[in-house]
Amino acid sequence: MRRDGHIHTPFCPHGTKDSTKLYIEKAIKSGFTDISFTEHAPLPANFTDPTPDQDSGMSMTQLSSYIDEITHLKNVYQKDIRIRLGLEVDYIEGFEKETTHFLNDMGPVLDDAILSVHFLQVNDQYFCADFSKEIFTELAVACGSVEAAYQLYYDTLEKSIYANLGQFKPNRIGHPTLIHKFQKAHGEKINDDKQIRHILQLMKKNGFELDVNGAGYSKPECLEAYPPLPYIEFAKSLGIPLVFGSDAHSVNGLHKHYDKIYTYLS
């Protein structure tokens, strides 16, 4: 079975307008039998998105249209491919209650979901850690060092694993080394082996799947999977369920780098 469990759509405010049908047609043509559309969920209404265009997630008004479209396409293509209606949900420290309410409302209609960390809290300020190398630099300065920014990311990931987000909490952790995105830009060699292994062990202990995310290969200042291949192997040795995700924000990005990863999945 070929599965891509992390795909965005034209409903993504920072993605492309490539139609959802085009994604599906390409998946079928590429021999994939199972795909999940996991659009960025709306952020809590009382959380201020720190990105310049405040475009990290769908608006609540878009959400019903997204659900209707994917539900319709599931029926249209049901004989050709399995399509899962999903969301990529942000874990935001301090907004657990709001996230739980959202999941309680939306959980019953979803087939799949990913829990990801993009936003890191330093004192009373939030940073979108993967937005740009400039924002990452601001984050590192606020934390006191690049190494401290990495540690904050893994600490926040750990909190996401333990957070009580209700019965519909996503059971897959998204791109758990996303903090590596600008590693070639900041140029510091951070040894986070211990933290990555710790996170994977916590995922195993708490019954999570791993988003084996190929998108980092396409980022010129990363050039590796999230997590890197040795840790995919380690996760596999622990018995963590592995789900490939291209994290595509365009049809061109769909299934990208699957060829580098698929041997680790079987």
Side-chain angles (χ1 to χ4, degrees), residues 6 8 12 14 40 49-52 55-56 88 90 116-120 126-140 149 153 174-175 177-183 213 215-216 219-222 226 247 249:
H6 191 155
H8 294 277
C12 177
H14 59 265
H40 291 285
D49 183 351
T51 63
D55 60 354
S56 296
E88 182 175 11
D90 275 284
S116 296
V117 170
H118 297 94
F119 303 105
L120 298 180
Y126 289 87
F127 296 84
C128 184
D130 67 314
F131 182 79
S132 68
K133 60 185 178 184
E134 290 79 16
I135 298 296
F136 179 86
T137 299
E138 290 179 22
L139 168 66
Y153 174 77
H175 41 57
T177 59
L178 185 65
I179 200 70
H180 288 184
K181 184 174 179 180
F182 302 110
Q183 61 186 353
N213 192 303
K219 309 301 180 187
E221 286 145 348
C222 182
Y226 308 126
D247 206 347
H249 286 69

Side-chain angles (χ1 to χ4, degrees), residues 22 32 35-36 38 63 80 92 102-103 106 118 127 137 139 143 156 162 177 179 205 235 242 262:
L22 284 177
F32 280 74
I35 58 173
S36 294
T38 52
L63 183 57
D80 304 301
I92 307 173
F102 174 79
L103 287 168
M106 296 309 307
H118 297 94
F127 296 84
T137 299
L139 168 66
C143 289
T156 308
Y162 282 124
T177 59
I179 200 70
K205 183 180 173 186
L242 309 178
Y262 80 94

